[in-house]
Amino acid sequence: MKPPTVPTRLKVGLDVPWVTSWSQEIQGGVGPCPTVDGRPAALQVWKPGIGKPLYSRNHLRRQRDSVRAMLCPMCGEPTEAGDRWTQTGRFVAVGDLRARGFGPALPADLEDDRIVLDAGAIAPLHMRCALASLQRCPHLGGMADRDLKAFPPSWVVVPLYVKATRQITGQPLPAVSFLQLFGITTDRDAGWRDRTPTV
């Protein structure tokens, strides 16, 4: 007989990022999800804090929640304009994103040489959470680029898909896995990239 799973002493949102998957949060199946307006999405059991944290894997639903609602991936609380920061985001030209197939999701009036902030699948963090993450996470601490970047005031969310099949017919069924986030500059805040963290 398998022994019962005992909750960990690690605190979700403090010791372990809120968005992190745990070993008891099994992935499986596709179904409608409110994070993508009821469209088919990859599903995962919700049991944060049960089992062991899987630091290298984001929970499917919590990742989509964090990007869609601008929730801090560390603590899970909403971030506010002016307190949204990223370390892992990188600056890229819109033309490069179009060449990678993201063109249909980007505003058509963005020039190819416009620089945007590609945050990937990681929503911006509060300053306090970003600093704590830098101190506690060996992966983040070991990155060559340790600079926190201010997140722009506007953004675009792009769904990333996995291939699934319908159970009865076996027909392909595209399902959203994660949401990708691109920060878009605006004329109203042209100096967003020069904003520096205040500790």
Side-chain angles (χ1 to χ4, degrees):
M1 185 173 178
K2 190 174 169 181
T5 304
V6 178
T8 180
R9 290 191 174 143
L10 296 171
K11 301 279 187 208
V12 174
L14 184 62
D15 303 310
V16 180
W18 173 79
V19 78
T20 297
S21 282
W22 290 74
S23 58
Q24 296 297 307
E25 295 184 308
I26 299 164
Q27 295 181 18
V30 169
C33 184
T35 62
V36 288
D37 299 324
R39 288 182 288 167
L43 304 177
Q44 186 171 0
V45 171
W46 187 285
K47 290 185 179 179
I50 307 297
K52 295 180 181 176
L54 306 174
Y55 290 104
S56 60
R57 298 184 202 165
N58 284 341
H59 186 276
L60 293 164
R61 170 69 191 259
R62 289 195 291 277
Q63 188 278 335
R64 294 190 300 260
D65 278 334
S66 70
V67 169
R68 174 95 185 235
M70 279 291 162
L71 304 178
C72 175
M74 182 64 194
C75 70
E77 296 298 319
T79 57
E80 301 294 333
D83 190 20
R84 293 182 176 138
W85 301 89
T86 178
Q87 179 192 358
T88 56
R90 59 189 186 86
F91 297 113
V92 296
V94 168
D96 291 341
L97 295 177
R98 288 190 173 120
R100 289 172 39 203
F102 290 110
L106 298 171
D109 63 345
L110 286 180
E111 312 85 5
D112 280 348
D113 61 353
R114 180 87 164 267
I115 300 299
V116 297
L117 184 58
D118 180 357
I122 303 174
L125 293 81
H126 299 109
M127 170 60 71
R128 69 180 185 278
C129 294
L131 292 173
S133 296
L134 278 171
Q135 291 174 347
R136 296 178 186 156
C137 176
H139 171 71
L140 291 176
M143 290 178 65
D145 180 3
R146 294 175 52 88
D147 291 334
L148 293 176
K149 300 161 197 75
F151 197 76
S154 301
W155 57 87
V156 173
V157 175
V158 180
L160 303 177
Y161 291 91
V162 293
K163 290 181 182 177
T165 54
R166 297 182 191 275
Q167 277 189 321
I168 297 174
T169 64
Q171 291 179 321
L173 174 68
V176 178
S177 58
F178 290 123
L179 297 176
Q180 182 146 349
L181 184 63
F182 299 108
I184 308 294
T185 59
T186 67
D187 293 336
R188 287 175 295 140
D189 189 11
W192 66 269
R193 206 177 334 154
D194 299 324
R195 211 161 63 229
T196 54
T198 53
V199 182

